[in-house]
Amino acid sequence: MKKLRKAVFPVAGLGTRFLPATKAIPKEMLTVVDRPVIQYVVDEARDAGIEHFIFVTGRNKAVIEDHFDVQFELYNTLAERGKTDELARLQKLQPLPGQTSFTRQQVPLGLGHAVWCARDLVGDEPFALLLPDMIMQSERGCLREMVDLFDETGGNIIAVQECDPAETHKYGIVGRGADVHNGFEVTSMVEKPPRGTAESNLFLNGRYILQPEIFEVLSKHEKGAGNEIQLTDAMLKLQNEQTFYGYHYKGRTFDCGSPEGFVEANVAFALWRSDMNQSMKETIERLSREIKPV
Ligand code: UTP
């Protein structure tokens, strides 16, 4: 079984739910407390043992490449001013030379197409896929838990969480089979099932470990829901030949692609920090008393 070394981050979406914020700034660069959203996801991948970070970018996304580059002037200035803590924090997050790759999805034809754009950079080995919109909060990262399962089972791993049963039509929904190690066998996958038809309330939360044969399926460029090339449809086809396992993540997930999820993430990550927890609680209580909706 080949070792999991690479992760793909599709960051070529238009972010229409977040306009006008995302007119010139990629949504992945919006800040949760003091770090851009994409940094949380890259850190989760690094903590899970990932060694190479592949970004599928689009127009207006060059700033993401800059964010993961060395900023000589800034580093030198921090060193000269004796700001050693700040410098050490930045250097800890800095990918090593050659650890990042960038390719462009020239037209945003859907998540499946964005993943397919990474085919040559991934090559013939399994890879992790992390949707940067979704950031997670737990002691042990979601991907790290998935790697534990992958080391036992191989195959393809998808992370799921429970959603409100009335909301299943908004998500990719997964059917649950027999338990395996810290996960279960996946019996079905449907992207946005019509209301009342979902087999469960377990939704795909944006973390995957996939085998490279998915690229062959995606190369057909078949369109699905929303006239986009859907990853879920391709996984469903691959399921005819390979096993998919589910990992039920129990931590918190925030959909930073929507303004509500993004604000919630900011509150949650501020409360999570010991240096901010108390002041945040007081601020939230005070503002809740003072402010009435307009
Ligand atoms: P979303 O559908 O949530 O992102 O895709 P979006 O299209 O940017 O958002 P809205 O709906 O217009 O607000 C999930 C992930 O897949 C990437 C997005 O960047 C996001 O991380 N994606 C989506 C691509 O890279 N390319 C695409 O063609 C579509």
Side-chain angles (χ1 to χ4, degrees):
M1 196 168 81
K2 284 187 181 164
K3 188 174 176 277
L4 183 73
R5 301 185 308 130
K6 299 181 179 178
V8 173
F9 305 89
V11 289
L14 297 177
T16 52
R17 281 171 294 163
F18 233 123
L19 286 167
T22 48
K23 200 173 155 207
I25 299 168
K27 65 178 171 182
E28 298 80 9
M29 288 303 293
L30 298 176
T31 314
V32 171
V33 186
D34 60 359
R35 288 188 281 165
V37 167
I38 188 74
Q39 184 75 61
Y40 287 84
V41 188
V42 166
D43 291 350
E44 182 188 332
R46 187 192 290 107
D47 288 346
I50 295 297
E51 297 162 7
H52 195 95
F53 308 90
I54 299 166
F55 299 84
V56 180
T57 71
R59 298 185 57 213
N60 285 339
K61 304 277 181 161
V63 67
I64 296 176
E65 196 165 343
D66 291 342
H67 177 75
F68 290 104
D69 198 3
V70 169
Q71 304 286 345
F72 281 116
E73 298 88 343
L74 176 63
Y75 289 9
N76 287 343
T77 308
L78 289 175
E80 274 166 25
R81 294 189 183 167
K83 294 194 176 281
T84 46
D85 287 354
E86 289 82 349
L87 182 58
R89 258 209 319 273
L90 284 183
Q91 284 172 333
K92 197 164 153 252
L93 300 176
Q94 181 74 55
L96 299 172
Q99 265 194 325
T100 51
S101 296
F102 297 84
T103 188
R104 282 212 175 187
Q105 183 192 24
Q106 293 157 340
V107 184
L109 296 176
L111 174 60
H113 182 260
V115 173
W116 178 75
C117 289
R119 65 199 179 282
D120 285 348
L121 292 170
V122 171
D124 188 24
E125 56 184 282
F127 64 101
L129 170 67
L130 297 94
L131 302 196
D133 285 6
M134 307 299 266
I135 64 171
M136 317 223 164
Q137 192 181 58
S138 52
E139 290 304 329
R140 225 161 171 260
C142 181
L143 188 64
R144 210 162 134 194
E145 297 282 351
M146 293 167 73
V147 171
D148 286 351
L149 179 58
F150 178 72
D151 287 342
E152 287 293 319
T153 60
N156 301 270
I157 316 277
I158 51 184
V160 298
Q161 277 184 273
E162 285 170 47
C163 67
D164 179 344
E167 306 261 276
T168 49
H169 60 284
K170 295 183 181 168
Y171 301 100
I173 297 292
V174 167
R176 181 175 186 135
D179 286 352
V180 182
H181 191 58
N182 65 335
F184 60 88
E185 264 186 48
V186 170
T187 54
S188 66
M189 289 178 266
V190 186
E191 187 59 44
K192 301 188 176 64
R195 280 174 199 270
T197 66
E199 206 176 303
S200 77
N201 67 337
L202 296 175
F203 75 98
L204 293 165
N205 74 357
R207 298 291 183 269
Y208 313 76
I209 297 174
L210 297 169
Q211 295 294 330
E213 286 76 18
I214 195 79
F215 295 122
E216 177 60 33
V217 184
L218 287 168
S219 68
K220 308 277 189 291
H221 292 187
E222 284 172 21
K223 294 196 170 160
N227 207 26
E228 292 195 341
I229 300 171
Q230 295 285 355
L231 177 68
T232 312
D233 296 344
M235 293 196 301
L236 204 56
K237 289 222 168 73
L238 187 59
Q239 207 188 9
N240 293 328
E241 293 153 35
Q242 296 187 1
T243 313
F244 277 73
Y245 300 95
Y247 168 68
H248 190 165
Y249 178 62
K250 301 280 171 45
R252 293 183 198 89
T253 298
F254 305 98
D255 178 5
C256 290
S258 75
E260 296 84 357
F262 174 75
V263 172
E264 200 184 328
N266 266 287
V267 173
F269 276 92
L271 286 170
W272 217 36
R273 277 177 52 158
S274 54
D275 61 333
M276 293 180 79
N277 177 278
Q278 193 52 39
S279 65
M280 270 305 292
K281 272 190 196 153
E282 287 164 15
T283 305
I284 292 167
E285 275 171 27
R286 180 173 51 79
L287 292 179
S288 310
R289 275 197 311 276
E290 285 175 12
I291 299 177
K292 299 279 169 273
V294 283

